[in-house]
Amino acid sequence: MRTQVAIIGAGPAGLLLSRLLTLQGIDSVVLENRSREYVEARIRAGILEQHTVDTLIEAGVGDRLRREGLEHRGIYLQYPGTRHKLDFPELCGRTVWVYGQTEVTKDLIKAQLDGGPPLIFDVSGVVLKDVATHHPRVHFTDAEGTPQVLECDVIAGTDGFHGVSRPVVQHGTNGRVWERTYPYAWLGILADAAPATDELIYAWHPEGFALYSMRSPTVSRLYLQVDPTEKIENWSDDRIWDNLATRFALEGWELSTGTITEKSVLPMRSFVSAPMRHGRLFLAGDAAHIVPPTGAKGLNLAVADVTILASALVRLLQENKTDLVDSYSDRALARVWRCTHFSWFMTSMLHRSGDDFDAELQLSQLRRIAASEPAARELAENYTGLPLDL
């Protein structure tokens, strides 16, 4: 087999990269070690920055997003007795959209299989060869058990933290890793309950953080701060709703409840791997970085990565110019670290840990954002998405 760009991983990053390259006349093949059904069922983030929405629309995969997605013009910051709205258009002229990563993935897969480049599921034994040369290769076994070799000009590693791509870059460059594990986790639920709020609510509470999000006009997505050692079987539906009601409590407002259809405990950590390139192998998305979900940055960072990378690869493969691929890692990492900081800031400000001294510092920060337009604007600009190149 022969292609210009071999893409490892059929998550949103890999699929969108393939789509962006196709629109510029660059051939690609996407390899995925899971089934289509598994990939389309993965529950992930649901907040899309303005740039992400614009990119998906321009790539021709935004029709359902515009039809079914929910545009949001702000968020609420809550602490006991106060719920303060940040108006994003007023503060920075942008909005965000609620549209699940699962739905983004389905849209991209549909476009890929509808006359797009090859997308091969259920592969195994993926090995990357000769990545430091101009003729890298990918060895793998297909779903029928037949060994295959994919020759290419470039490999894009969009196969996540546990994929095969990142270790190759780390080993080949003696790269560096930064990691922060947070002393709390999220208990997340999906519920058949109409949202009782027009915007997301980020709530600080003495008993722990809570987030009120949504997936549709009839489905709510809610989270509770819990200890990382918590077992999901210890949380009955009644216990979850009682804790949510306590942490979102506000005079004159009532929590909507309904049937819980999914629940899980999600660990919280930050991870950055540098560089994001070794020879003709380039990393993007979770293969290079992970952020806690508080800042709603994971999927959006992946989209930013592949948007930058697509332009660089087009310039390399069509014009034989290396300036953009040579600067890719530094350019991408500048944005990665800014978003990693914002995610850390939101996480540290809203989650209870430490003593009452820390709690008062958190409340002071929340009151500052509620009272100061420059402080509110800084949060809004980061939340809705900074420019690709910083």
Side-chain angles (χ1 to χ4, degrees):
M1 300 174 65
R2 168 74 191 167
T3 192
Q4 289 177 285
V5 181
I7 299 174
I8 314 301
L15 293 166
L16 180 58
L17 177 61
S18 179
R19 180 72 178 177
L20 294 175
L21 292 174
T22 298
L23 294 174
Q24 295 295 318
I26 302 293
D27 296 331
S28 66
V29 172
V30 181
L31 303 178
E32 169 58 48
N33 68 348
R34 302 282 193 169
S35 68
R36 178 182 181 181
E37 292 73 24
Y38 180 92
V39 172
E40 291 187 338
R42 287 185 290 206
I43 302 296
R44 293 291 189 272
I47 305 297
L48 307 185
E49 294 176 358
Q50 187 70 60
H51 168 265
T52 298
V53 172
D54 294 342
T55 300
L56 292 171
I57 292 172
E58 290 168 7
V61 289
D63 289 349
R64 196 160 68 93
L65 187 162
R66 285 189 287 191
R67 188 170 63 249
E68 301 177 14
L70 306 175
E71 185 176 18
H72 283 261
R73 301 174 62 84
I75 60 172
Y76 291 106
L77 291 180
Q78 179 172 321
Y79 45 94
T82 300
R83 182 176 293 172
H84 177 78
K85 183 175 182 178
L86 300 183
D87 187 311
F88 290 161
E90 184 177 288
L91 289 166
C92 64
R94 296 191 293 274
T95 63
V96 296
W97 287 65
V98 171
Y99 189 68
Q101 179 173 319
T102 304
E103 306 310 314
V104 173
T105 302
K106 290 177 182 177
D107 295 342
L108 287 165
I109 288 177
K110 183 176 183 299
Q112 192 89 1
L113 296 178
D114 188 16
L119 168 54
I120 306 174
F121 290 103
D122 295 306
V123 306
S124 60
V126 175
V127 178
L128 312 184
K129 298 278 192 177
D130 300 327
V131 301
T133 75
H134 287 176
H135 304 286
R137 293 172 290 126
V138 181
H139 292 243
F140 67 96
T141 301
D142 64 23
E144 285 71 43
T146 305
Q148 302 282 357
V149 178
L150 177 59
E151 298 179 349
C152 54
D153 301 309
V154 168
I155 301 174
T158 60
D159 48 345
F161 178 81
H162 297 289
V164 301
S165 302
R166 182 177 59 81
V168 175
V169 173
Q170 284 287 299
H171 179 75
T173 62
N174 293 316
R176 185 173 178 186
V177 167
W178 295 263
E179 191 164 9
R180 168 72 53 84
T181 300
Y182 295 93
Y184 28 75
W186 278 8
L187 190 159
I189 68 167
L190 274 174
D192 290 333
T197 175
D198 57 335
E199 307 289 8
L200 278 70
I201 305 171
Y202 288 77
W204 183 99
H205 190 273
E207 295 184 10
F209 170 71
L211 172 61
Y212 201 133
S213 184
M214 60 283 291
R215 284 293 178 269
S216 76
T218 59
V219 176
S220 294
R221 180 73 159 151
L222 303 104
Y223 301 92
L224 287 167
Q225 176 188 343
V226 297
D227 189 273
T229 62
E230 283 285 357
K231 303 297 183 184
I232 195 66
E233 55 266 24
N234 294 333
W235 285 80
S236 67
D237 291 3
D238 287 343
R239 184 185 179 191
I240 291 171
W241 287 121
D242 288 345
N243 273 265
L244 287 167
T246 297
R247 299 186 197 185
F248 287 123
L250 189 72
E251 186 176 354
W253 181 87
E254 186 175 343
L255 177 70
S256 297
T257 62
T259 301
I260 295 176
T261 58
E262 187 267 338
K263 55 184 173 181
S264 58
V265 174
L266 315 170
M268 304 278 284
R269 68 189 182 111
S270 296
F271 172 87
V272 180
S273 176
M276 292 172 61
R277 175 198 182 184
H278 173 42
R280 289 290 182 104
L281 170 60
F282 299 84
L283 302 180
D286 286 358
H289 44 75
I290 294 172
V291 291
T294 327
K297 288 287 160 270
L299 172 59
N300 296 294
L301 264 179
V303 171
D305 286 350
V306 299
T307 304
I308 296 171
L309 182 57
S311 297
L313 294 182
V314 169
R315 189 165 174 84
L316 172 69
L317 297 174
Q318 290 186 343
E319 303 176 32
N320 199 30
K321 294 182 178 179
T322 65
D323 53 337
L324 293 186
V325 292
D326 290 342
S327 64
Y328 165 70
S329 182
D330 288 341
R331 292 164 63 208
L333 283 167
R335 200 174 193 279
V336 166
W337 277 114
R338 176 87 291 279
C339 292
T340 299
H341 178 273
F342 177 68
S343 299
W344 165 85
F345 165 75
M346 291 286 286
T347 302
S348 302
M349 176 176 65
L350 289 162
H351 291 75
R352 276 307 313 268
S353 63
D355 55 21
D356 289 343
F357 183 87
D358 294 303
E360 291 301 326
L361 292 177
Q362 292 174 316
L363 289 168
S364 175
Q365 181 65 61
L366 286 163
R367 294 187 188 106
R368 170 65 178 169
I369 294 171
S372 166
E373 184 173 317
R377 181 177 297 111
E378 174 69 8
L379 192 155
E381 288 178 348
N382 280 271
Y383 194 98
T384 58
L386 296 171
L388 284 190
D389 273 314
L390 298 179

